[in-house]
Amino acid sequence: MTEPPQIRNQIGWRDRLSRLRGSNVQLDLREYDQPLDDIARLEAELRSHSDDALTARARALREAARGDQPLKGLRTPLYAIAREAARRALGLRPFDVQIVAGLAMDDGKIVEMQTGEGKTLAAVLPAALNALTGKGVHVLTFNDYLARRDAGWMRPIYQTLGLSVAFVQEGMAPAVRRRAYAADVTYVTAKEAGFDHLRDLLARRRDDVVHRTFHFALIDEADSILIDEARVPLVIAGSADRPASARPLASRIVSELTAGLHYDRDEYGRDVELTEAGINHIEQLLGCGSLHVEANLPLLTEINCALHAHTLLRRDVDYLVRDGRIAVIDEHTGRVVDDRHWPDGLQAALEAKEGLDRRPDGRILGSITLQHFIRGYPRVCGMTGTARTAAAELEDTYGVQVTVIPTNRPMIRADHPDRVFATREAKEAAVIEEIRGAHATGRPILVGTVSVEESERLAARLVASGVRCDVLNARNDEAEARIIASAGTRGAVTISTNMAGRGTDIKLEAPAAATGLYVIGTNRHESERVDLQLRGRAGRQGDPGESRFFVSLEDSLLVQFGIESLLAGRFEGGDSTEPITHPVVIAEVARAQRIVDQQNFEIRRTLARYSQVLEDQRVALMERRTALLDEREQPDIWQTDPERHASLVGGVGASKVRDAERLMTLWCIDRAWCDHLAYAADLREGIHLTALGGHDPLTRFTTDLTTRFRQIDEQIETAVLEALDTISVTEGEIALPDAVLKGPSSTWTYLVNDDPFRNQIGMMLTGPGKATFGIGAAAMAMPLLIFWGVVNRWFRRRPGRRGIR
């Protein structure tokens, strides 16, 4: 008798110890042996079926699912049919590891699969199974390109199964989006799906809604979407009146200030503030009196915004100037994010700095974090190449566990120890020599850098040394497909930002396959997962390959956390051009990354606590709004003025009055929620100051916001009733303002880096009951004083919000 197929991970003693302590990482895959065997046996039977017979078997499963038969009982036949359909339609028979990945995802797990192991094909299995119900499945991809590519690539499989598939792209018309979401399986980025959800919540009529009720989401690059982007709010805004602005003047004044005299800047901590001399100088220039009197606070805000824009935000690192606009560079992907910008005051100051036309300010109409958007799906699963290191946070935040899938062929990539140098100059010289030596052998090389600026500087030095290279960064992203297509050829040297990391598949041509791709990282990133994604470009599907990172003590990550000062006197640097080999240095470099990973986790968790109360309120109010939109509830506020109501009914009929009141109530709900969001933003800006009085900021924030929300129903009812006295009847119709009938005349979407608690969280971490300092401290084998120094440096890292509203 043939032994059933088995997929096994190598489980070491550390893994076994973790499992005894309740690990959230699943390495033991024995539970999938029997399903895998059942699928294999049924697959052999299906080989003799015609294409039509295969489709008929799938159609019978779909009818069973829509007849409320549990999907678990349909999984084995559906997976077997899909496997055979993939073999026939694409010439790709899913490996056993891909089948196991599909089984684990259907169980609601986040699976870790290495680069090149076929995540796209594995995703078809649980997506197709859950699409049998006809309720719709969303495959949430990393970018628009992948949504379009994967939907088209996998379409023949879905068609064989009798399922429809579509994709959504940025810029699509509402009618096209509606048709795409009506498909059985829809490929779309999490961002686009989230923005469509926000637009739906502003719809005036049911026909304007593009989404169906959420059912099942499968998330590609799950750790990036669920963790790295989790606290980035999706925002939909409407035009707002633009107040008079002194930003051009503020920009000119700030550009002439002297560092160290007029302002103090922590270059690596990413913080800046005016000195007393600076404040006095500006007050004399403007002749405005004290900048701190109430009348001058808007001016002081604009001065502070200009100071941050000029001193902290770096062109070609944090942003590009493209087509007369600021293009923000995503720190995780290295790509331009077209719809992301900083809060309005800072964004406008940056436009003034670069001499660009000011873009419209906006009033936020709706907002939701990706974390809360994803939680709106009843069932969620996902896949990524780097889930294990994020397993604790994934379970803590989303209640999902990680299942590790072994590679189909043994991984033979060699990951070398870091080379650490005292200075950046020594590091870059060593990188150039390493590239030259490897290039001379003809092997392809991928060099990962952290910014546009660094990629171009390194490329210039490389060309000067006689080595031709391609550069892939946000400035030339239109050439991405060509550059990636040639990156695996013999002798190719590709210098890239994070654009060549997550989601990129570099295939080796035959002559280059013997040695494999050599990946060189020029910096350690804040998250180990980003480094692992870069390493993962090499060694795909059992190919050979190597990776190595080059680090200097002058790299921003190490300087931010004071590693150089902590090491002072503990080792001898020797020749600054030679790598440092002292084990203390190597250990401290690795620990810096662990510290920032832990601290990022604490920030995300604290921010989530603040956003949760607002999210609960949003859900409650939107449930009422949706019930009105769907006519599951009828408006009745106007009936509290029976005389006026009766007059309208007599003039146009009860149905038209009811429709008019429904539209007016929806408009008043939207306006009240918009005001509530503005109140929450103002409250959050200064809530940390309550800690100075011994109060818990989170408790105070929750209490104040809850008190305000309790008044919102009364505000809505009052506004709807007041509207009753302003409307008129014309030619048998109730005349309502255009804003009520159609919604905002101009809206746009964008993403905002939501980090308003930069220094505030630091206070919370050290106060009783404020956050989770104990966990963070226990995780760091460091004295309390050093840990607090690290925390303080971290919270000074990003552009400040001092005075920004």
Side-chain angles (χ1 to χ4, degrees):
M1 182 176 177
T2 304
E3 290 292 324
Q6 294 182 338
I7 301 298
R8 295 290 184 267
N9 283 303
Q10 291 185 355
I11 303 178
W13 68 268
R14 294 179 188 273
D15 299 316
R16 297 182 190 280
L17 182 61
S18 296
R19 186 168 56 184
L20 290 174
R21 293 182 305 198
S23 172
N24 36 36
V25 177
Q26 179 187 15
L27 293 170
D28 188 346
L29 303 177
R30 286 177 294 180
E31 67 179 272
Y32 298 116
D33 287 351
Q34 190 59 54
L36 191 60
D37 184 36
D38 294 341
I39 292 167
R41 284 189 286 104
L42 183 54
E43 177 197 5
E45 174 191 328
L46 295 172
R47 286 289 177 93
S48 62
H49 282 43
S50 66
D51 291 349
D52 289 343
L54 209 61
T55 300
R57 291 281 294 263
R59 188 181 302 115
L61 295 178
R62 189 177 64 204
E63 292 172 357
R66 296 181 185 185
D68 293 331
Q69 182 170 336
L71 290 179
K72 287 293 185 186
L74 306 177
R75 187 165 70 175
T76 293
L78 188 281
Y79 276 36
I81 296 170
R83 192 180 210 178
E84 177 62 13
R87 186 188 68 83
R88 296 185 188 186
L90 303 179
L92 299 173
R93 177 184 177 272
F95 299 125
D96 286 351
V97 291
Q98 291 170 297
I99 296 292
V100 171
L103 292 168
M105 282 190 277
D106 184 58
D107 287 340
K109 305 293 181 59
I110 303 294
V111 301
E112 179 177 280
M113 297 179 71
Q114 297 301 312
T115 301
E117 290 297 302
K119 291 191 289 290
T120 303
L121 184 57
V124 172
L125 303 170
L129 176 65
N130 285 272
L132 292 177
T133 62
K135 296 178 181 178
V137 167
H138 292 172
V139 180
L140 302 179
T141 65
F142 191 58
N143 56 48
D144 274 356
Y145 164 73
L146 292 176
R148 182 175 65 253
R149 185 202 71 176
D150 293 354
W153 186 13
M154 298 293 114
R155 186 183 306 278
I157 304 175
Y158 290 116
Q159 288 176 335
T160 301
L161 299 175
L163 299 171
S164 57
V165 61
F167 61 89
V168 173
Q169 302 276 272
E170 183 177 357
M172 277 184 170
V176 180
R177 291 172 182 266
R178 192 176 303 109
R179 288 195 296 271
Y181 287 123
D184 293 315
V185 180
T186 306
Y187 285 78
V188 56
T189 65
K191 181 188 76 171
E192 283 299 310
F195 282 141
D196 282 333
H197 177 60
L198 290 177
R199 294 186 190 99
D200 285 350
L201 294 178
L202 292 172
R204 294 289 188 265
R205 302 189 185 279
R206 184 66 204 177
D207 290 345
D208 296 332
V209 174
V210 301
H211 271 300
R212 293 192 281 169
T213 301
F214 291 160
H215 170 54
F216 180 85
L218 191 156
I219 307 167
D220 193 8
E221 303 296 354
D223 59 324
S224 177
I225 292 174
L226 296 179
I227 293 179
D228 297 333
E229 299 289 341
R231 72 173 188 259
V232 178
L234 310 177
V235 174
I236 187 165
S239 296
D241 293 335
R242 175 183 294 182
S245 173
R247 289 187 178 98
L249 175 62
S251 185
R252 287 197 299 272
I253 290 174
V254 164
S255 67
E256 297 172 357
L257 298 181
T258 303
L261 173 62
H262 298 124
Y263 62 86
D264 290 327
R265 178 181 63 191
D266 179 354
E267 181 179 357
Y268 296 100
R270 300 299 299 248
D271 198 9
V272 64
E273 61 184 354
L274 291 168
T275 63
E276 287 298 322
I279 292 173
N280 292 335
H281 175 69
I282 293 171
E283 289 172 347
Q284 291 175 6
L285 282 177
L286 297 176
C288 62
S290 173
L291 283 171
H292 291 94
V293 299
E294 185 174 354
N296 284 335
L297 289 182
L299 177 60
L300 179 59
T301 295
E302 295 192 341
I303 292 290
N304 275 322
C305 287
L307 186 63
H308 282 78
H310 276 268
T311 61
L312 298 183
L313 296 180
R314 298 162 294 169
R315 186 168 178 168
D316 296 339
V317 176
D318 301 302
Y319 67 93
L320 300 174
V321 175
R322 175 186 288 180
D323 299 326
R325 295 174 55 182
I326 299 295
V328 178
I329 299 174
D330 185 284
E331 62 182 313
H332 300 295
T333 68
R335 301 174 185 274
V336 165
V337 186
D338 291 334
D339 287 328
R340 177 173 295 178
H341 71 66
W342 288 279
D344 284 332
L346 186 56
Q347 181 79 11
L350 195 60
E351 290 164 349
K353 167 189 171 182
E354 297 292 347
L356 305 175
D357 292 336
R358 181 180 169 191
R359 304 199 69 203
D361 289 340
R363 189 170 189 215
I364 295 177
L365 305 176
S367 175
I368 188 171
T369 64
L370 280 173
Q371 180 183 114
H372 288 129
F373 171 67
I374 297 297
R375 285 178 173 177
Y377 289 89
R379 294 195 64 209
V380 172
C381 67
M383 54 189 186
T384 180
T386 48
R388 195 179 328 197
T389 58
E393 186 169 356
L394 287 168
E395 184 171 47
D396 181 79
T397 306
Y398 300 96
V400 296
Q401 290 188 322
V402 169
T403 298
V404 177
I405 308 297
T407 55
N408 186 53
R409 297 176 180 174
M411 171 72 74
I412 60 173
R413 184 185 69 229
D415 295 327
H416 301 295
D418 293 355
R419 286 184 182 167
V420 183
F421 296 83
T423 66
R424 190 186 75 177
E425 172 58 32
K427 177 190 73 173
E428 291 193 356
V431 168
I432 296 297
E433 287 306 307
E434 186 77 5
I435 295 172
R436 284 169 52 85
H439 177 67
T441 68
R443 72 184 308 182
I445 303 166
L446 173 66
V447 183
T449 63
V450 295
S451 68
V452 173
E453 179 185 62
E454 185 187 27
S455 67
E456 294 178 346
R457 182 178 68 245
L458 201 62
R461 293 186 63 166
L462 199 58
V463 171
S465 71
V467 177
R468 192 189 71 81
C469 63
D470 283 321
V471 179
L472 176 59
N473 59 38
R475 200 192 304 280
N476 66 340
D477 51 6
E478 71 285 349
E480 179 176 5
R482 175 188 61 79
I483 293 173
I484 293 299
S486 63
T489 61
R490 179 175 173 80
V493 178
T494 307
I495 311 292
S496 178
T497 58
N498 287 350
M499 286 179 65
R502 191 182 296 273
T504 303
D505 194 5
I506 298 176
K507 297 182 179 180
L508 300 175
E509 69 169 14
T515 56
L517 183 68
Y518 186 16
V519 171
I520 296 174
T522 63
N523 292 264
R524 280 289 188 174
H525 293 82
E526 289 184 358
S527 170
E528 182 187 7
R529 289 179 290 106
V530 179
D531 293 341
L532 292 174
Q533 287 287 345
L534 181 59
R535 287 192 194 275
R537 301 316 98 191
R540 60 185 297 277
Q541 296 184 2
D543 287 340
E546 294 181 70
S547 72
R548 186 189 297 277
F549 281 83
F550 288 71
V551 181
S552 87
L553 299 184
E554 293 180 344
D555 291 347
S556 59
L557 176 66
L558 303 187
V559 174
Q560 287 165 19
F561 289 91
I563 298 300
E564 187 174 20
S565 61
L566 290 176
L567 296 173
R570 297 173 65 184
F571 73 96
E572 295 298 328
D575 186 347
S576 63
T577 63
E578 294 297 317
I580 301 169
T581 58
H582 198 292
V584 170
V585 179
I586 306 301
E588 290 297 321
V589 169
R591 194 173 57 80
Q593 192 174 55
R594 292 196 299 272
I595 289 173
V596 70
D597 259 341
Q598 177 67 22
Q599 199 55 50
N600 272 329
F601 171 60
E602 297 291 350
I603 293 172
R604 287 190 293 267
R605 183 154 60 178
T606 303
L607 288 172
R609 289 171 173 170
Y610 276 81
S611 64
Q612 187 59 52
V613 60
L614 192 62
E615 174 63 11
D616 291 342
Q617 293 170 355
R618 186 192 69 81
V619 169
L621 189 62
M622 291 305 122
E623 284 179 353
R624 175 186 173 188
R625 190 190 193 284
T626 302
L628 278 171
L629 184 71
D630 294 343
E631 301 185 24
R632 288 182 282 110
E633 290 185 9
Q634 298 300 328
D636 58 5
I637 299 173
W638 282 357
Q639 295 176 31
T640 60
D641 186 345
E643 183 177 343
R644 176 64 172 148
H645 181 259
S647 173
L648 284 176
V649 170
V652 300
S655 177
K656 290 183 179 180
V657 172
R658 189 166 53 249
D659 288 345
E661 185 179 357
R662 180 180 296 107
L663 287 170
M664 182 59 71
T665 305
L666 292 173
W667 182 73
C668 289
I669 289 174
D670 294 342
R671 189 172 61 175
W673 182 243
C674 179
D675 292 341
H676 192 67
L677 288 175
Y679 172 80
D682 288 343
L683 179 64
R684 193 171 62 175
E685 282 287 341
I687 199 66
H688 66 285
L689 297 175
T690 62
L692 301 178
H695 300 287
D696 181 359
L698 177 58
T699 300
R700 180 63 179 273
F701 179 81
T702 302
T703 300
D704 288 359
L705 202 60
T706 300
T707 300
R708 174 67 179 253
F709 186 71
R710 286 176 181 153
Q711 304 167 3
I712 204 167
D713 283 344
E714 182 179 346
Q715 294 170 2
I716 292 169
E717 291 182 8
T718 299
V720 174
L721 194 58
E722 289 176 349
L724 183 61
D725 293 328
T726 64
I727 62 175
S728 59
V729 176
T730 304
E731 298 180 355
E733 299 289 340
I734 295 179
L736 296 175
D738 285 345
V740 176
L741 294 171
K742 302 177 181 178
S745 59
S746 174
T747 62
W748 63 92
T749 58
Y750 57 88
L751 300 100
V752 177
N753 287 324
D754 186 17
D755 194 3
F757 303 110
R758 181 177 46 86
N759 289 321
Q760 294 92 308
I761 296 180
M763 297 181 193
M764 298 172 200
L765 286 171
T766 56
K770 303 299 191 298
T772 52
F773 176 78
I775 295 175
M780 312 302 168
M782 290 288 290
L784 179 62
L785 182 61
I786 294 178
F787 179 78
W788 171 241
V790 170
V791 171
N792 191 43
R793 287 175 179 271
W794 166 248
F795 286 107
R796 292 169 58 85
R797 175 180 178 272
R798 298 180 183 274
R801 293 278 300 277
R802 191 178 294 110
I804 300 173
R805 299 183 67 83

